Amino acid sequence: MPPEETRPDSETPRARSAAAPRARRPYRHSRPVFDLTLRIQSEYARRLLRDREFRPAMHALYGIEVILHLVSDDTEAERVEALIHARLEGLADELQREIARLQVLLTDQGLERTRPRYTHPLDVTIHVASPAMALYANLIQELDRLSVGLDTLWLSGLLAGKERLAVAKRWRQRIGGAGQEFIGLHRRAYAAAERQGQRDAVEAAAREVLSMPEEEGDDPAEAPDTSPEERT
C-alpha cells in the first residue's frame, strides 16, 4: 500500500508551537543611573529620608523631566528644569552657609574633630536617574551634616536644646516643603500630558522611574511624628 499523504493540518503540537509568533516584549530604555550610597545618622535627616514624601518627591523630579519632553518643546522643558535646579541649588547654598557658620563655632571651641556616635544610623542606596534627584538627595545629606554639628554643640553644653531643635526642624520642613512643590508640579504636568493624549507614553516611562528602594524591616509608618525632645 502506498504511504498516506501527510495533510498540512496534521502538524504536531510542537511544530505548531514553533511556528507561532513570539509575543513581543516592550522595549526598555537603558538609562544611566548613579547608585548613591548615603549613611544618615541624625534623627531629623533620618526621619526626612524615611518620610512618605521622599519617594514621591524623587519620582516626581524624574517624572517631570520625562513628561516635559513629551508634551513641551525643548525651550519650555529647559525653562522648567532650570527653575527646579535653581530651587534646589538655592536651598543648598543657604544650607551650606549655615553649616559653615556652625563649623566656625566648632573650631573656636576646639571641637572641629569631635562628633557624637549615633545609636541608629540609616544606610540607604538611592538610584539617581536625573541631576535633580542628585541635588535633592544631597540636601538630605547636608541636613545630616548640619544636625551632627548642632548635636555636637548641644552635647558639649554650648547650644540650648530649644535652639538646636528649632534649626533642625526648620530645615527639615524647608526641604520637605520643596519636595511637596515638586510633587504638585508633577501632578500638573501629568494632567497636561493626559489632556494631550500622552497618558500611555507617560505611564510607560513612569514604570522606569528609579528611587530609593524599600528597606527590609523598617516601616516608615512606625516612625513617631515627634521625638521625645520635641514633646518636652
Side-chain angles (χ1 to χ4, degrees):
M1 278 179 73
E4 291 185 9
E5 294 183 3
T6 303
R7 291 166 48 181
D9 61 351
S10 64
E11 294 175 340
T12 64
R14 179 178 295 179
R16 285 198 300 272
S17 175
R22 291 183 180 179
R24 188 172 181 179
R25 298 178 64 182
Y27 183 78
R28 301 290 296 275
H29 289 281
S30 181
R31 303 185 184 278
V33 176
F34 277 135
D35 288 335
L36 179 62
T37 300
L38 305 179
R39 183 173 181 83
I40 301 300
Q41 303 182 89
S42 62
E43 176 59 23
Y44 272 103
R46 183 182 185 276
R47 199 182 305 174
L48 180 62
L49 193 63
R50 298 303 302 155
D51 256 350
R52 294 180 179 181
E53 288 83 8
F54 176 75
R55 182 184 292 270
M58 295 294 268
H59 276 255
L61 286 167
Y62 183 65
I64 290 166
E65 181 177 313
V66 170
I67 292 171
L68 285 174
H69 289 283
L70 286 172
V71 304
S72 306
D73 58 36
D74 288 344
T75 301
E76 177 64 12
E78 289 173 3
R79 185 187 71 82
V80 175
E81 288 174 3
L83 289 173
I84 291 172
H85 281 223
R87 178 81 169 94
L88 290 167
E89 288 168 354
L91 281 172
D93 287 345
E94 285 187 61
L95 186 50
Q96 285 164 8
R97 285 196 296 271
E98 188 140 10
I99 290 170
R101 287 194 295 269
L102 204 63
Q103 190 62 42
V104 170
L105 292 175
L106 290 166
T107 301
D108 287 346
Q109 298 295 327
L111 298 170
E112 63 271 19
R113 297 183 181 277
T114 302
R115 294 294 182 270
R117 178 181 63 83
Y118 288 82
T119 57
H120 293 92
L122 182 63
D123 295 311
V124 295
T125 298
I126 302 172
H127 305 318
V128 175
S130 79
M133 292 171 71
L135 290 171
Y136 193 71
N138 181 66
L139 280 176
I140 296 174
Q141 194 168 27
E142 291 296 280
L143 173 59
D144 192 54
R145 286 183 59 204
L146 176 71
S147 297
V148 169
L150 291 169
D151 291 344
T152 301
L153 289 172
W154 172 64
L155 287 172
S156 301
L158 300 170
L159 183 69
K162 185 176 181 180
E163 184 178 353
R164 161 190 167 246
L165 290 174
V167 174
K169 187 174 182 180
R170 181 174 73 248
W171 274 105
R172 177 197 175 201
Q173 290 172 341
R174 291 190 67 184
I175 296 170
Q180 286 295 320
E181 292 173 19
F182 301 139
I183 292 169
L185 180 59
H186 180 249
R187 287 175 182 153
R188 293 193 294 275
Y190 185 90
E194 195 169 23
R195 288 194 298 271
Q196 294 185 24
Q198 296 277 11
R199 177 177 178 176
D200 290 345
V202 168
E203 289 183 347
R207 285 193 288 270
E208 298 186 22
V209 173
L210 302 170
S211 67
M212 186 187 75
E214 293 287 358
E215 284 195 289
E216 295 181 4
D218 192 356
D219 184 358
E222 294 178 359
D225 292 332
T226 56
S227 65
E229 293 160 328
E230 287 181 89
R231 292 193 294 268
T232 58

